[in-house]
Each structure stands twice: as structure tokens, then as C-alpha cells.
Amino acid sequence: MTTSRFERLLPLAGALGGLVFAVATIITAREPSISDGEQKYVQWYADHITVEVVAGFGAVYFCVLMLLFTTAVRRALRSGERGSSAHGNAAFAGGIVVAIGIAIFGMLGMANAEAADKHNSQAVVSLGYLNDNTWFLFIAGLAAFYLATGLGGLRTGALPKWLSIVTIVLGVLSLLGPAGIAAFFATPVWLIVTSVLLYRRQEAPTVAPLPQSELSEVRAH
């Protein structure tokens, strides 16, 4: 089956998404939490409206790139699954939730920036409490995406064994409350590394080994 240029380039969306993710994280690194004080939170948005607008657009771009990359991951995992697409489908579902979670982060940031620009402090505070708890959605999607991708990578050989193990560890960390922050900060690096490896390995797709029962039948013939 002929692979289109679009399909060949899909994995690289992860690298671009990782770069966008890293830049948005860096420029908003000093953004306070609403728990740090309402006045401090409102003042941050009043002083950094441009930063939040840029980060908001970055979230939109990341959402699009993550959806494309998730499609590439599902394609890679399904190419090696004999009679099953469970890992690929689970990774795809998790990736969609991650993309939506980041888009919501961006949406709230843009709403906060607009409220601050209009000097509506109460709206900034109200949105701040919502923004502080939106990470639940993102981390749930990240856990499903990492676990399905890591386990699928081990089963099908779509990813190197070491990367599959690292991916599973990140998925577990995502479910461990505060430890999930490590998975969050590791995500840009993981996206870039995995993107490049998938792009380079797609010319030689791997196939999951035959089950022992099927292998015995083949040998019998």
C-alpha cells in the first residue's frame, strides 16, 4: 500500500507540538496560582496580557499538532497489532483528551487576559479557580495516552523497548497526584524524541510476533 506524503509527515507533528508546548510553558513559567492570592493573580494578568494571548494561541496550535501526532501514533501501533487495535485506539482517545485539555487551558488564559484588559478583576478571579483545576482533564488524558502507547510499543515493537518503558513510567507518574508534574514537564521532550523515532522507523514497519499457537501451525505446514 502506497503511503502518502501526509502520512509520512504526520509523526513530525509531535516534534512541532513539543516545541510549541515548551515555548508556552517557558513564557508562562512565573504565572501564579489563584491560591497564591487573588490580588497577585489579577495583577499578573494585568501585567502580562500579551504573554497570555501568545500562550493561548500556542495552545490552539498544540491542540491541532497533538491531534495529528496522535493519529500517527495510532497508525504505528495498529500496523503491528495482529487482529487487535486496542492499544492504538486507547492511545488515540487519550491523545484527544490531552489536546482538548490544553485547548481549555489556552481558552481560559485568553479569557483571563481579556477580563484583565477590561479591568474585570472578579472575572479574573473566578476564571482562576476554574483554571487551577482544569489540569484534571489534561492529566487523565496524558495517563491514558502514555500507558496505551508504552504498552503498545512493547507489544508491537513500534517504539524502542527503552522508550516504551519510559512512556509507561510517565503514564504511571501521571496518576500519582503531585508526581504528575514530572510527566507534564517531560512531555515536550518525549514528543520530540518519539516524533523523530516514529518518522525514521516508519519506512520499516514492525509486526508483532505470531502467538505460539499460530507459530506451531505454520511450522506444521
Side-chain angles (χ1 to χ4, degrees):
M1 183 181 294
T2 304
T3 301
S4 69
R5 178 177 296 181
F6 176 75
E7 290 174 313
R8 289 197 302 272
L9 294 177
L10 267 181
L12 296 181
L16 293 175
L19 291 174
V20 171
F21 192 115
V23 170
T25 301
I26 291 171
I27 65 176
T28 59
R30 298 179 62 186
E31 178 183 323
S33 166
I34 191 68
S35 60
D36 294 328
E38 295 181 359
Q39 184 176 355
K40 181 179 180 180
Y41 189 78
V42 171
Q43 190 61 47
W44 161 270
Y45 276 94
D47 295 340
H48 299 85
I49 293 176
T50 302
V51 168
E52 290 298 331
V53 170
V54 171
F57 277 106
V60 173
Y61 300 146
F62 176 82
C63 179
V64 174
L65 292 167
M66 185 66 188
L67 291 173
L68 294 175
F69 178 66
T70 300
T71 301
V73 171
R74 181 174 67 167
R75 179 169 173 266
L77 294 178
R78 292 180 67 176
S79 68
E81 290 184 307
R82 290 185 177 274
S84 172
S85 58
H87 294 95
N89 288 340
F92 186 67
I96 291 175
V97 175
V98 171
I100 292 174
I102 289 294
I104 292 176
F105 271 129
M107 179 184 70
L108 291 174
M110 293 281 279
N112 261 329
E114 183 176 358
D117 187 49
K118 302 296 184 182
H119 306 291
N120 190 340
S121 300
Q122 188 55 53
V124 176
V125 171
S126 298
L127 289 168
Y129 284 105
L130 180 61
N131 192 41
D132 267 13
N133 292 283
T134 307
W135 65 272
F136 282 104
L137 178 64
F138 171 79
I139 213 68
L142 200 63
F145 177 71
Y146 276 145
L147 289 173
T149 301
L151 292 171
L154 283 179
R155 182 178 185 275
T156 66
L159 298 177
K161 184 176 181 180
W162 66 267
L163 182 57
S164 296
I165 293 174
V166 168
T167 304
I168 293 171
V169 170
L170 290 175
V172 173
L173 287 176
S174 299
L175 297 172
L176 297 180
I181 194 68
F184 176 86
F185 285 114
T187 294
V189 177
W190 184 91
L191 285 171
I192 294 171
V193 171
T194 306
S195 173
V196 173
L197 287 176
L198 284 180
Y199 177 75
R200 295 179 62 181
R201 290 165 68 95
Q202 66 183 341
E203 297 301 326
T206 55
V207 178
L210 284 169
Q212 190 62 37
S213 58
E214 294 184 25
L215 186 59
S216 299
E217 293 180 8
V218 172
R219 289 175 177 172
H221 289 291

